[in-house]
Amino acid sequence: NAGVTQTPKFQVLKTGQSMTLQCAQDMNHNSMYWYRQDPGMGLRLIYYSASEGTTDKGEVPNGYNVSRLNKREFSLRLESAAPSQTSVYFCASSELYTGQGETQYFGPGTRLLVL
Amino acid sequence: QKEVEQDPGPLSVPEGAIVSLNCTYSNSAFQYFMWYRQYSRKGPELLMYTYSSGNKEDGRFTAQVDKSSKYISLFIRDSQPSDSATYLCAIGGYSTLTFGKGTMLLVSP
């Protein structure tokens, strides 16, 4: 099992460009998450999908959109990238979303630099 | 006050030392406690999970939870250079997980 995979590993964008970060999991998990990790800020939740067909905002959703394409895949889209979105992005999955804090499994991350 | 507080370190210890990593939290609704290990330029990986007060052991690692004090700890015995990483606590109870900012641990040979 590959677990959680993310593409690309690294990306450089110019301000205003758009891009989509891809995430897939092969653990048959129902719930998936997108985080960003910045120095001194820790992991912050952008969006999550409790189950196929549903998405909800996390702590820092502004400037992002998500799509739960199917049970395996959850993508994150930056419509008009800004330098403030320079970060490392992690996708995670969990068996269920309980609303009480569930064990999550993380991908290797995508490093995004916006110039 | 942040919901979860964690000293960022770095914490530098010699090989073989006992390491203590800690988090405090403010919300008594939190009841699920996890520790993740994150190597440089990698994703976090789950290390320990517990939901009750007391100790839980797994090899060289012991997770300790004191709900009355809202304080959790991770102890690493006989620390190794391969333990050098950032350790994040993660706490849940009424919403999605809340992560600490992580403590960087450096174990020197």
Side-chain angles (χ1 to χ4, degrees):
Chain A
N1 285 354
V4 179
T5 56
Q6 293 182 236
T7 55
K9 287 186 170 53
F10 180 71
Q11 184 73 44
V12 179
L13 289 179
K14 294 181 180 177
T15 296
Q17 286 185 319
S18 62
M19 80 162 294
T20 300
L21 282 66
Q22 306 286 356
C23 174
Q25 52 89 12
D26 63 2
M27 295 177 282
N28 200 34
H29 284 173
N30 289 288
S31 308
M32 299 183 74
Y33 311 80
W34 275 107
Y35 290 88
R36 60 178 290 174
Q37 186 176 41
D38 303 288
M41 300 295 292
L43 280 165
R44 292 182 292 170
L45 184 65
I46 305 171
Y47 272 93
Y48 68 98
S49 171
S51 60
E52 189 178 351
T54 69
T55 61
D56 284 286
K57 294 178 180 179
E59 182 185 353
V60 289
N62 291 346
Y64 305 96
N65 285 302
V66 290
S67 295
R68 184 73 184 268
L69 304 169
N70 48 56
K71 190 173 184 179
R72 289 187 64 248
E73 299 173 290
F74 188 37
S75 63
L76 178 71
R77 182 160 178 84
L78 286 71
E79 291 291 351
S80 179
S84 61
Q85 294 178 304
T86 292
S87 188
V88 183
Y89 291 86
F90 289 103
C91 178
S93 70
S94 67
E95 191 171 345
L96 288 174
Y97 173 73
T98 63
Q100 294 185 332
E102 51 293 312
T103 306
Q104 296 179 18
Y105 298 87
F106 285 80
T110 293
R111 294 181 173 275
L112 177 65
L113 175 62
V114 183
L115 301 174
Chain B
Q1 182 186 8
K2 298 287 186 185
E3 285 200 299
V4 179
E5 300 273 9
Q6 187 175 9
D7 189 323
L11 177 62
S12 295
V13 301
E15 183 176 355
I18 296 174
V19 175
S20 172
L21 303 164
N22 311 295
C23 283
T24 58
Y25 61 95
S26 58
N27 194 327
S28 57
F30 285 140
Q31 53 187 307
Y32 302 95
F33 309 94
M34 300 165 212
W35 285 96
Y36 284 82
R37 177 175 62 195
Q38 186 176 21
Y39 290 115
S40 181
R41 304 180 82 86
K42 301 288 187 185
E45 57 176 327
L46 181 66
L47 205 55
M48 300 280 284
Y49 169 81
T50 184
Y51 58 88
S52 58
S53 281
N55 293 354
K56 180 177 181 180
E57 258 189 56
D58 185 0
R60 296 185 296 111
F61 299 90
T62 299
Q64 187 177 80
V65 175
D66 183 346
K67 289 186 179 180
S68 61
S69 301
K70 300 190 183 68
Y71 191 88
I72 66 172
S73 300
L74 178 70
F75 297 97
I76 307 175
R77 291 185 297 281
D78 187 25
S79 57
Q80 303 294 310
S82 59
D83 294 327
S84 297
T86 296
Y87 291 80
L88 301 94
C89 62
I91 306 180
Y94 64 92
S95 183
T96 55
L97 285 181
T98 300
F99 286 85
K101 293 180 181 178
T103 299
M104 182 183 293
L105 172 66
L106 302 170
V107 182
S108 53

